[in-house]
Structures are given as C-alpha cells and as structure tokens.
Amino acid sequence: MKSKRNSSAELTALCVLSAAGLLLSLMGISVVGIDAAWIAILLSGVPFTVETIRSMAEQKRLSSGFLVPVTMVLAIVLGEYFAAGMVAFIMLVAHRVELMTERHAHEGVARLTSLTPQTAHVLRGGKTVDIPIEEVTVGDTLSVLAGETIPVDGVILEGQTSVDQSVMTGESMPVDKKEGDAVISGTLN
C-alpha cells in the first residue's frame, strides 16, 4: 500500500474499520455468518496485495513486501482468519505511520528552507555587499552579524560566536564556535 491515492482520513478510517473487524473476530462475533476478521483482510490486505503485485510488476523483481500477501494467503488457507487480518492490519498501520512521518519530514524541510535568508553579506574589494544567496560561490567570505541567520554552510575564518543550532540538531543551548569551526545554513548567529 505505497500508493499516495489514499488520503490520511481514508487510511485512518480503514484502520478503525479493520481494528473493529479484528476485535469482533477476537470476541468470536461473525458478520453475516463470516468471521469478522475478513473485514481487515478485505479492507487492508487486498489493497496491500494489489499494490505489492503492481509494484513488483513495474520493477520486474520480487520484493520483501511479497512475503506479506503470502503470509496472509497461507493463514487463510489454514483457516487462521484472525492472523491473516492481523497481518493486513499491521501493514496498514505501518503504511499510515510511514505517510505521517513522510509528511512531517516534508513540513520540516519546508520550515528549514523558509529560515534561510535570501541574501548574504559578502566581502568584495574590502567592502561588504549584499548579494542574492544563489550568487554565493565557494571561496566567498561572508559577514554574519549577531542575530542573523547563517545563509550558507561554511567555516568561521575569524572571531568567535555562539550559534543556535536548535533548528538542525534540537540542542537547547547555543554552541560556541571559533575559527576553523563549521557552521550550518539556517542556524542563528
């Protein structure tokens, strides 16, 4: 179920319905005479199986994801519907968590990108000039004043300072930097 076609709300609904089916199955309750674990098998397992087969056909090779449908089919053949439904449910929850993590990572990158300044103070001919960040080249000497965001990755050539790297590293305290120390774009001088 690597497909982006499912929205977060749809995946959450499928998780809830699959969990309900498994709970009913665990309690020995059937739905229209069929083990309720089939709810999880059909809602979670079938889409995962279809997506796995589609992905393998595109890549023209077996993947580790192939073991999940095989496990579900074997459990069904053995009459272990709850086990088959549980495997399907676990894969659905894992997919939901993967999408949440991916979304948070994209949001984090977007936040970091927005922190980077659009211009840099570059020393040229003994004077400081502001240039667009895209025009900074390797070897340029930049001036970063106290309270400014460091525009590009680099190394401190002279002086010392403290840099708030919390946006990158999560460190709660600024880190002391001196000549020769590396600094990271997006961190605060």
Side-chain angles (χ1 to χ4, degrees):
M1 281 195 57
K2 302 267 186 235
S3 171
K4 303 286 186 230
R5 292 184 293 268
N6 298 95
S7 73
S8 179
E10 288 172 337
L11 287 174
T12 301
L14 288 174
C15 285
V16 169
L17 291 171
S18 294
L22 289 172
L23 185 60
L24 291 172
S25 176
L26 193 60
M27 295 168 44
I29 299 171
S30 61
V31 178
V32 292
I34 300 171
D35 190 318
W38 276 98
I39 295 170
I41 294 168
L42 294 173
L43 294 179
S44 302
V46 171
F48 184 85
T49 300
V50 169
E51 187 63 30
T52 298
I53 292 169
R54 186 195 60 74
S55 176
M56 288 188 319
E58 285 177 0
Q59 297 174 2
K60 295 180 175 51
R61 65 182 181 91
L62 285 176
S63 72
S64 60
F66 181 66
L67 296 174
V68 174
V70 168
T71 302
M72 286 188 302
V73 169
L74 289 174
I76 291 167
V77 167
L78 294 172
E80 297 291 338
Y81 305 120
F82 181 80
M86 185 56 83
V87 168
F89 175 70
I90 289 169
M91 293 312 299
L92 179 67
V93 170
H95 178 62
R96 174 73 175 90
V97 170
E98 177 186 11
L99 289 180
M100 277 181 12
T101 303
E102 188 176 290
R103 187 186 82 231
H104 288 299
H106 285 295
E107 290 170 356
V109 169
R111 278 194 308 271
L112 285 175
T113 302
S114 72
L115 293 175
T116 305
Q118 301 304 306
T119 59
H121 311 302
V122 179
L123 300 174
R124 296 237 168 108
K127 294 196 301 188
T128 302
V129 293
D130 289 344
I131 64 169
I133 197 78
E134 299 83 26
E135 294 178 18
V136 174
T137 61
V138 174
D140 279 342
T141 300
L142 279 60
S143 172
V144 182
L145 303 174
E148 290 185 335
T149 301
I150 297 171
V152 294
D153 293 350
V155 175
I156 296 179
L157 297 178
E158 65 180 57
Q160 58 187 28
T161 189
S162 292
V163 178
D164 178 355
Q165 302 179 141
S166 60
V167 296
M168 296 293 192
T169 64
E171 296 176 65
S172 60
M173 298 296 292
V175 176
D176 291 333
K177 299 283 186 171
K178 62 185 181 330
E179 291 178 20
D181 288 343
V183 290
I184 304 169
S185 170
T187 58
L188 186 65
N189 183 22

